[in-house]
DNA sequence: AGGATTGTTCAAGTATTATCGAACCATGGC
DNA sequence: GCCATGGTTCGATAATACTTGAACAATCCT
């Protein structure tokens, strides 16, 4: 089985608006995005809004965000760091992330 | 059974961002919203991107959009007119609709 | 090497959503 | 009243998505 240290990320050119909107349409995922807007975080640092969340569930939330092109998940040390793909998203969908992050909870 | 001529619409104060994002996250629904951005349309006039869509399916798409606070559905004559709740959405989620409508298909 | 740490993947169950025909409801016009 | 028109609702089925424990993988540290 292939190594899994590096996960696949879609190129922004193949990211569809509806996929991004869907990824952001879940409260838990949106909250994660809000946290990542402050800067990259490890998975452990992220998702503090619900500390009881099992790691498999959390991993799945990140997978949806990653496959939608919203976050980047990169190995670092024995863990992983999550980045919001902010600049790329801003170029592809100008104003979208800003308005979502600015909106009231 | 109660009359169904007037359908319930959520007040913007109870519309959640995630519900709006979800409503917009389906390609067919997003396309409808794009059409309505040009002005109110009857259901028959709307959804021309897929003429074969059964009316029950179409009605369901509008229901999701209506319940998410995205469109208003009002009786007119023997049919109904659909409006994008643009001003209200702009006040509640500034810039969101603009960025979504501006984005490439 | 071995163990602790940090996540990912798999699989199975549950829940939500989509689709669409058929039945129904309301209006307009004859 | 009666019928055609335009649309909603119901009910059943199919398709997606969510949740989680358990197994596995990669890295660090001693």
């Amino acid at each position: 089985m292939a190594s899994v240290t590096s996960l696949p990320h879609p190129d922004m050119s193949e990211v569809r608006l509806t996929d991004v909107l869907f990824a952001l349409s879940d409260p838990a995922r949106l909250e994660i995005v809000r946290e990542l807007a402050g800067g990259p975080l490890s998975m452990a640092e992220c998702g503090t809004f619900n500390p009881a969340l099992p790691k498999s569930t959390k991993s799945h939330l990140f997978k949806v965000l990653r496959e939608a092109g919203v976050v980047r998940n990169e190995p670092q040390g024995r863990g992983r760091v999550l980045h919001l793909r902010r600049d790329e998203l801003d170029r592809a969908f100008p104003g979208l992330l800003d308005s979502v992050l600015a909106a009231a909870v």
Side-chain angles (χ1 to χ4, degrees), chain A:
Chain A
M1 183 89 162
S3 164
V4 77
T5 53
S6 180
L7 297 166
H9 293 82
D11 188 89
M12 228 7 110
S13 66
E14 53 187 343
V15 169
R16 288 175 310 175
L17 173 60
T18 47
D19 294 334
V20 174
L21 294 174
F22 181 80
L24 299 176
S25 74
D26 177 72
R29 289 192 298 255
L30 181 54
E31 187 55 37
I32 287 170
V33 170
R34 285 190 200 284
E35 288 181 1
L36 291 179
L41 294 173
S42 70
M43 197 173 101
E45 295 167 320
C46 204
T48 53
F49 60 92
N50 184 358
L53 213 55
K55 59 182 182 172
S56 57
T57 303
K58 220 155 141 182
S59 186
H60 177 67
L61 294 174
F62 286 117
K63 183 182 184 184
V64 175
L65 287 168
R66 173 174 53 81
E67 290 179 343
V70 177
V71 306
R72 207 173 269 288
N73 178 340
E74 300 192 334
Q76 181 165 111
R78 84 185 95 178
R80 282 163 180 289
V81 190
L82 299 151
H83 301 255
L84 188 54
R85 295 176 70 176
R86 192 173 218 178
D87 292 351
E88 295 174 274
L89 283 167
D90 284 349
R91 268 191 292 281
F93 309 111
L96 178 60
L97 211 48
D98 285 343
S99 64
V100 168
L101 292 174
V105 185

